[in-house]
Amino acid sequence: MATCAREAEPLEALSNSLHSPEALFTRPLDVSVPELLERFVDEAASTLGGLDGAVACAGGARGRGITEATTQDWSATWEMNVGHVARLVATSAPHLRAAGGGPIVVVASVSGWKPGPQAQYGAAKAAQIHMVSSLARELAMDGIRVNAVSPGSMLIPGKRWDRMRREDPAAFDRFRAEFAGGDLVRPEEVADVIAFLLSDQSRGVTGVNLPVDKGQNAPTPEGY
């Protein structure tokens, strides 16, 4: 298995948590830098003896509303989301083709089709979802399946919604009403779906966008 992140410390913590840390290939890098991401994929394939699948899960946004966001904000948001997916797929595809095929999973977002601020983020996530349907057809004859997972708002310790839960319980309760069952998505629930799409059990699935949002309505407390 191989993974990368911007900082070395979490990668070291992940390696140390495994029974066989030597089985994990890691590199600290910024996936929006083309040559770094491409080198990582090729080095991982060389070190591990090929690729069985790939997951594009980096993302984020820069800038505020449309009258405040700069051209650089839009470009950076596009590269963080769409650009890195395109390069990951382009670099991974030859390795997967050599192995007789394999799955690629792109982590998109509920914001890709349920509008909320900011527009540059939603537009980039919508582009990811469309890209998946196009690439699934383009790569099908190589035995490569391409699917998207679109998480809803996730309750991650220390992150935005967890801070709201602790610091503004009334606002958090109002936000919970956007979910059919009143509970935000948990990271492990998204991970389970990604694992399914990487497995042979999903061998008949390609070109889909699979929401993991617990029936979420608006993607932010601000509503539509």
Side-chain angles (χ1 to χ4, degrees), residues 13-219:
L14 177 60
S15 294
N16 293 335
S17 72
L18 301 177
H19 292 300
S20 301
E22 68 278 359
L24 181 67
F25 178 86
T26 65
R27 286 288 186 273
L29 61 96
D30 181 349
V31 298
S32 66
V33 180
E35 60 271 21
L36 297 181
L37 177 58
E38 292 162 1
R39 187 184 310 147
F40 168 74
V41 173
D42 289 337
E43 288 180 349
S46 176
T47 301
L48 300 173
L51 293 184
D52 298 317
V55 179
C57 62
R62 269 182 44 181
R64 298 178 66 82
I66 189 63
T67 60
E68 301 170 77
T70 65
T71 299
Q72 291 75 22
D73 291 332
W74 278 82
S75 296
T77 301
W78 185 265
E79 282 302 313
M80 276 189 280
N81 296 279
V82 184
H84 105 271
V85 170
R87 285 187 290 274
L88 178 69
V89 174
T91 311
S92 299
H95 297 291
L96 293 173
R97 186 184 301 123
I104 296 174
V105 179
V106 176
V107 180
S109 170
V110 63
S111 296
W113 78 98
K114 294 182 179 180
Q118 308 304 329
Q120 57 269 32
Y121 180 71
K125 288 301 183 180
Q128 284 184 337
I129 293 168
H130 184 87
M131 183 190 304
V132 161
S133 61
S134 179
L135 292 175
R137 296 185 65 84
E138 180 178 343
L139 299 173
M141 294 305 294
D142 294 319
I144 298 172
R145 299 185 292 109
V146 188
N147 292 294
V149 171
S150 283
S153 299
M154 287 190 283
L155 190 62
I156 302 173
K159 298 299 184 179
R160 179 182 181 184
W161 311 124
D162 183 47
R163 292 197 302 270
M164 177 188 282
R165 179 179 62 83
R166 290 182 282 105
E167 298 168 5
D168 193 347
F172 182 74
D173 284 342
R174 289 194 297 272
F175 185 41
R176 287 178 57 209
E178 298 290 347
F179 297 80
D183 291 318
L184 276 67
V185 180
R186 297 187 179 275
E188 57 268 28
E189 294 167 336
V190 179
D192 286 342
V193 176
I194 294 173
F196 165 71
L197 291 174
L198 289 173
S199 74
D200 286 341
Q201 290 178 313
S202 64
R203 59 189 176 277
V205 182
T206 193
V208 306
N209 173 44
L210 184 53
V212 188
D213 61 8
K214 289 193 171 180
Q216 184 174 0
N217 184 28

